[in-house]
Amino acid sequence: MQISDVTGRISSLHVYPVKSCAGLALPEALLTETGLDLDRAWMVVDEAGEFLTQRELPRMALVQTAFKGDVMGGGGELVLRAPGMLALHLRVDVVEAPTRVRVWRDEVAAYDMGDVAAQWFSDFLAPGGSGRPYRLARFDPEHRRLSSLDWTKGVEAPNQFSDGYPLLVVSQSAVDDLNTRLKAAGQPLVDARRFRPNLVIEGWEAHDEDRVGPITIDTEEGEVQLTPVKPCSRCPIPNIDPDTAQSHPSVTDTLQAYRQDARLNGAITFGMNCIVTAGVDRWLKVGQVARADYTF
């Protein structure tokens, strides 16, 4: 094996089927050009088609997601559960009417998932009969939504409903380092779920993902290459406890002291957005070796 500056292993893989709802930790995941298969394939929108996240609706954190049946074969289901709600079963190969939705500054083609799904999300996210309607949309795979060409240096990197890039990589040591600081301040510890990564890598130094070039992962089908392109700036979502949907500013307050990033004009960053530069249609698995070289 090639000797690299940093060598670690994938300690966990995460897919978030519905943008800003709870994710799934998977033992393996298929890599597509838009990231892990079915990651951010669905999104909750308001009556104007504008995307919604935990920033506005922290209760979205309590919507649990699961896959059932032959998802890869197209016949499986996405199953959604939330406190006080009956489970919502959605076939992954069924959509309803075409629609247009907006995620950040991008207006994209999508499919509405129907009135039952809309009522389910409206009932849970607007408890007490507030009456605000929400709908669930599915990304149209024929639509090509590209990451910022400025940050990818001209490489076309499509993604679905993610904030802007196919994958987010976080080192476990970065989470451990944050917890050391939280503990010293007498604050509750957190886990990687606060940062909604797709890949967590153990064995690297804290924030090595900030300092490396292309990440090579050895799979059974051959090498995968993920290229870090942009630090991930952080909104208040990491303050939201994924188990309770309660928010406390301790995470952001702690990061403010040591994670202001000059590359983003002093914004707080944690983790690196990556694009897929080799290895589409290969399987990533927990335990696979992830290696990279420093870029300085």
Side-chain angles (χ1 to χ4, degrees):
M1 181 184 299
Q2 175 184 336
I3 298 175
S4 302
D5 292 339
V6 295
T7 300
R9 293 183 181 275
I10 299 174
S11 60
S12 59
L13 289 165
H14 303 266
V15 170
Y16 308 87
V18 181
K19 183 178 181 69
S20 223
C21 294
L24 295 171
L26 301 174
E28 60 182 16
L30 181 67
L31 184 66
T32 74
E33 67 172 356
T34 61
L36 301 184
D37 192 33
L38 295 179
D39 185 55
R40 278 91 168 189
W42 291 266
M43 182 173 73
V44 181
V45 299
D46 65 14
E47 60 270 32
E50 191 76 22
F51 80 112
L52 295 164
T53 73
Q54 292 179 36
R55 299 170 185 86
E56 305 85 20
L57 298 167
R59 282 170 62 85
M60 292 182 74
L62 302 180
V63 177
Q64 301 297 314
T65 56
F67 290 124
K68 178 182 178 182
D70 183 16
V71 174
M72 291 301 301
E77 294 179 327
L78 171 66
V79 183
L80 304 175
R81 294 182 171 88
M85 303 290 293
L86 295 174
L88 175 65
H89 292 251
L90 300 171
R91 284 185 57 99
V92 300
D93 60 346
V94 174
V95 294
E96 294 202 10
T99 188
R100 303 285 296 183
V101 298
R102 180 173 293 276
V103 51
W104 296 111
R105 291 179 293 180
D106 297 330
E107 182 178 312
V108 302
Y111 291 97
D112 187 88
M113 293 301 296
D115 291 340
V116 173
Q119 190 65 55
W120 193 92
F121 275 98
S122 298
D123 288 347
F124 181 68
L125 295 177
S130 70
R132 186 173 184 187
Y134 299 116
R135 300 199 72 84
L136 185 66
R138 173 78 183 267
F139 192 86
D140 181 349
E142 298 299 318
H143 185 88
R144 192 167 174 83
R145 177 182 176 235
L146 296 180
S147 303
S148 167
L149 294 173
D150 290 338
W151 284 100
T152 66
K153 298 181 179 178
V155 176
E156 293 193 354
N159 54 99
Q160 296 198 45
F161 287 138
S162 64
D163 276 352
Y165 298 87
L167 294 159
L168 179 68
V169 173
V170 167
S171 58
Q172 180 60 45
S173 294
V175 181
D176 297 341
D177 178 58
L178 170 61
N179 277 328
T180 297
R181 297 166 190 266
L182 288 170
K183 183 177 180 180
Q187 298 295 337
L189 306 187
V190 299
D191 59 39
R193 290 181 299 162
R194 294 290 184 113
F195 301 98
R196 303 179 68 79
N198 295 112
L199 285 79
V200 180
I201 299 178
E202 62 182 1
W204 288 9
E205 296 296 322
H207 302 291
D208 267 347
E209 60 270 32
D210 289 5
R211 302 180 283 265
V212 299
I215 302 165
T216 299
I217 299 170
D218 300 308
T219 78
E220 294 173 5
E221 300 94 350
E223 290 185 349
V224 161
Q225 187 181 84
L226 311 177
T227 300
V229 293
K230 184 185 180 185
C232 184
S233 58
R234 291 298 172 175
C235 65
I237 286 180
N239 289 327
I240 299 172
D241 185 331
D243 296 320
T244 67
Q246 298 300 307
S247 181
H248 189 279
S250 59
V251 174
T252 297
D253 287 350
T254 302
L255 292 174
Q256 185 74 37
Y258 74 105
R259 288 299 301 168
Q260 294 187 47
D261 197 316
R263 292 170 293 183
L264 272 70
N265 299 316
I268 296 172
T269 65
F270 198 103
M272 282 293 289
N273 291 299
C274 296
I275 63 175
V276 182
T277 44
V280 168
D281 292 333
R282 292 176 178 167
W283 285 86
L284 296 179
K285 298 182 180 182
V286 171
Q288 287 172 336
V289 171
R291 48 193 168 82
D293 292 326
Y294 292 123
T295 55
F296 53 78

